[in-house]
Amino acid sequence: MSGVGPLEPGEGTRAWDTPEGGTATLPRRPRGPLRQWYDRHRRAAVAGLTAAAVLAAGGYLYLTRPHRPPPPPPPYPSQVVDITYLAPVAAPKQDSPGSFSFTVDVSVASGPPVTVRDIAQPYAGLTLTAQPRTPFRTRAGERRKVVITMHVTQCRKVPESAGLPFLDVTLRNTRAIEVHSFILGPRYAQHLSSALQAICDNTSR
């Protein structure tokens, strides 16, 4: 006699995708290549991302850290050098009778050492030599005595009375090279005028 309902599965019957003694599971969807790569390299990827985050944070801290201002440049040599007239001295014996000498004091107040490259004077009828010879170097805090000797070459080209005579001194340090005019004051002007008058009388002009 035929039945009207569905046939009951027989004993031991199971679905085609159900493991023996288990329940049926749906088949997994195949993973894409990016997901497969990530699964294989997950640790390396996480480490790389962490390192990138650390570097980004370090770069931000470096860029936003407080910056120290650069050190100020050294002073110009003319700002720290002083030349002071001292006194007349005897001219070296080897010089001509038309020569006279005096001493000046060269000092450097601060900053890097300063080199005196040249010492000159403005009058056409005079030449000048210095001892020690230029160039010479002076450090900060030092004082150097320099003997200046003037040589009269043409009396008609020297002044009868020097008002504010000066020396043109070429200075150099790590900041700059400068030519600076130093006015040595009334004592130097008086000495210069007296020496020129003693060497050049009125009849020789």
Side-chain angles (χ1 to χ4, degrees), residues 76-170:
Y76 286 97
S78 62
Q79 296 174 338
V80 294
V81 171
D82 185 39
I83 298 182
T84 305
Y85 175 77
L86 295 179
V89 295
K93 294 181 179 181
Q94 67 271 18
D95 287 326
S96 65
S99 301
F100 61 95
S101 300
F102 57 91
T103 54
V104 297
D105 184 78
V106 179
S107 61
V108 178
S110 61
V114 176
T115 298
V116 177
R117 301 186 64 177
D118 188 44
I119 302 175
Q121 54 79 43
Y123 301 115
L126 294 174
T127 61
L128 177 155
T129 57
Q131 186 61 39
R133 294 183 178 182
T134 56
F136 58 85
R137 194 182 195 195
T138 305
R139 294 182 175 86
E142 291 183 348
R143 309 183 76 88
R144 183 185 290 268
K145 183 182 290 187
V146 181
V147 178
I148 304 293
T149 300
M150 297 284 193
H151 309 274
V152 179
T153 57
Q154 290 182 314
C155 283
R156 59 188 178 85
K157 291 186 178 181
V158 299
E160 294 185 10
S161 178
L164 290 175
F166 56 88
L167 296 178
D168 288 325
V169 183
T170 304

